[in-house]
């Protein structure tokens, strides 16, 4: 039985720090920083199995153009508890607390080629993205990011909007596919354009990405870099034309992003 709750004490910050270290294997956030953040508008949510912390979501207060939002910086899960729906539970609890504290927007980033994260952020949570950040964190050295530019999608989660609160769906049938991913002799996916994205006028578009990007990167750093750079161009063209990523559909060998015009989404005027 998993229970999610807000974390507020130094002892809880120490539990989170220990779990963070086990998940990523790199230098952790100092507990004095996380404790200060949660005392000043930040939110730390923990997922417990009995009395053991097995997951957390950490965010701090952000500010842009005269308006505050919650910057959700980290979501981490013990490896033994992944793929059990706990990530969604953590984010929904974080949303509930954020609304209570007065936020109506939450933002966070993720690697657009990591389909597991895309499925949670877009499909399960009704987040949306129309912002691409090149090499967001510079040249990272951890196992997940080493060797490639740390490009990121920035998710905007409109907390009080009908689109999020009512989990509204959008008609995405008959999306025009912009690329395919045939497999080479080594069984690795290769980026192949179907349509040049210079005149984007259709209702919806789809972009296919490898299902297991970490596996692809381990097998061929060159192919992984090719996917990074070519999808970067494609995603940026879509965002510049007014489209937003709203769904990731998982298939056996790939994931498929769906893009629609941002202005058709009921984001509550935000």
């Amino acid at each position: 039985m998993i229970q999610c709750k807000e974390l507020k004490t130094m002892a809880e910050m120490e539990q989170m720090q220990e779990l963070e270290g086990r998940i990523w294997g790199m230098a952790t956030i100092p507990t004095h920083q996380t404790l200060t953040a949660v005392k000043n508008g930040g939110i730390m949510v923990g997922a417990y199995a009995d009395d053991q912390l097995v997951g957390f979501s950490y965010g701090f207060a952000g500010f842009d153009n005269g308006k505050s939002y919650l910057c959700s910086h980290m979501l981490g899960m013990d490896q033994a508890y992944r793929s059990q729906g706990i990530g969604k539970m953590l984010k929904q609890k974080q949303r509930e607390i954020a609304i209570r504290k007065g936020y109506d927007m939450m933002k966070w980033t993720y690697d657009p080629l990591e389909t597991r994260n895309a499925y949670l952020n877009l499909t399960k949570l009704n987040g949306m993205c129309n912002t691409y950040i090149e090499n967001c964190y510079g040249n990272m050295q951890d196992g997940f990011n080493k060797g490639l530019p740390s490009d990121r999608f920035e998710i905007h989660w409109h907390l009080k909007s009908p689109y999020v609160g009512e989990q509204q769906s959008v008609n995405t049938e008959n999306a025009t596919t912009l690329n395919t991913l045939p497999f080479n002799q080594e069984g690795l996916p290769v980026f192949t354009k179907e349509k040049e994205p210079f005149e984007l006028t259709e209702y919806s578009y789809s972009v296919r990405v490898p299902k297991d990007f970490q596996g692809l990167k381990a097998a061929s750093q060159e192919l992984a870099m090719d996917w990074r750079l070519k999808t970067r161009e494609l995603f940026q063209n879509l965002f510049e034309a007014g489209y937003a990523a709203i769904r990731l559909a998982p298939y056996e060998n790939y994931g498929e992003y769906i893009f629609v015009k941002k202005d058709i989404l009921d984001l509550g005027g935000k």
Side-chain angles (χ1 to χ4, degrees):
M1 183 69 177
I2 302 296
Q3 292 186 325
C4 293
K5 69 173 186 177
E6 186 175 8
L7 309 184
K8 299 179 179 180
T9 69
M10 178 58 82
E12 291 168 335
M13 298 304 111
E14 290 170 350
Q15 289 180 345
M16 172 265 175
Q17 186 184 55
E18 190 276 331
L19 179 57
E20 178 195 352
R22 283 195 285 115
I23 293 170
W24 283 289
M26 59 182 185
T28 58
I29 304 173
T31 54
H32 64 78
Q33 196 280 337
T34 52
L35 185 66
T36 301
V38 300
K39 287 183 176 180
N40 292 275
I43 300 172
M44 180 81 77
V45 179
Y48 286 85
D50 297 322
D51 294 326
Q52 178 187 0
L53 183 69
V54 299
F56 71 90
S57 185
Y58 166 54
F60 49 82
F63 192 79
D64 185 38
N65 291 324
K67 188 168 178 59
S68 63
Y69 62 92
L70 186 70
C71 176
S72 187
H73 182 55
M74 300 182 82
L75 177 69
M77 197 78 58
D78 186 295
Q79 186 171 357
Y81 288 85
R82 293 172 187 169
S83 300
Q84 298 182 31
I86 299 173
K88 182 177 180 179
M89 292 172 60
L90 284 165
K91 297 303 293 185
Q92 293 291 14
K93 187 67 174 179
Q94 192 180 32
R95 173 178 178 264
E96 171 192 320
I97 297 167
I99 290 173
R100 189 170 70 237
K101 289 180 180 288
Y103 293 107
D104 57 30
M105 171 70 79
M106 194 185 302
K107 299 180 184 181
W108 66 91
T109 62
Y110 78 95
D111 186 331
L113 294 176
E114 295 291 347
T115 57
R116 183 194 300 266
N117 295 342
Y119 184 67
L120 171 63
N121 296 333
L122 300 176
T123 306
K124 287 190 172 183
L125 296 175
N126 271 38
M128 75 90 184
C129 174
N130 66 339
T131 303
Y132 194 96
I133 306 173
E134 292 187 22
N135 205 23
C136 180
Y137 301 109
N139 297 322
M140 303 176 73
Q141 298 303 313
D142 65 286
F144 284 100
N145 297 285
K146 187 175 181 179
L148 293 179
S150 56
D151 291 17
R152 294 293 185 265
F153 270 9
E154 183 179 82
I155 291 290
H156 291 188
W157 207 22
H158 296 259
L159 303 178
K160 298 179 182 178
S161 70
Y163 181 68
V164 172
E166 299 170 12
Q167 288 284 287
Q168 290 181 348
S169 61
V170 176
N171 180 14
T172 57
E173 294 182 2
N174 302 316
T176 299
T177 303
L178 293 175
N179 75 309
T180 58
L181 60 171
F183 291 83
N184 64 16
Q185 292 181 342
E186 289 73 42
L188 301 176
V190 178
F191 182 97
T192 305
K193 281 186 179 180
E194 283 285 292
K195 178 183 176 65
E196 292 293 343
F198 300 120
E199 294 185 11
L200 295 166
T201 58
E202 301 292 336
Y203 174 82
S204 60
Y205 289 95
S206 69
V207 175
R208 296 177 180 179
V209 295
K211 185 174 183 178
D212 179 14
F213 188 61
Q214 290 299 320
L216 170 62
K217 188 170 71 169
S220 172
Q221 191 81 14
E222 181 181 357
L223 265 183
M225 180 66 80
D226 190 62
W227 274 98
R228 169 68 83 220
L229 298 179
K230 288 179 179 175
T231 55
R232 172 194 285 179
E233 179 185 11
L234 203 52
F235 293 146
Q236 288 177 330
N237 285 334
L238 283 158
F239 293 155
E240 288 170 5
Y243 291 85
I246 62 162
R247 292 286 184 275
L248 188 287
Y251 294 97
E252 183 177 358
N253 295 316
Y254 64 92
E256 186 170 60
Y257 276 106
I258 301 296
F259 293 79
V260 299
K261 284 286 190 178
K262 179 189 172 184
D263 57 18
I264 75 167
L265 305 176
D266 191 351
L267 302 176
K270 303 299 181 185

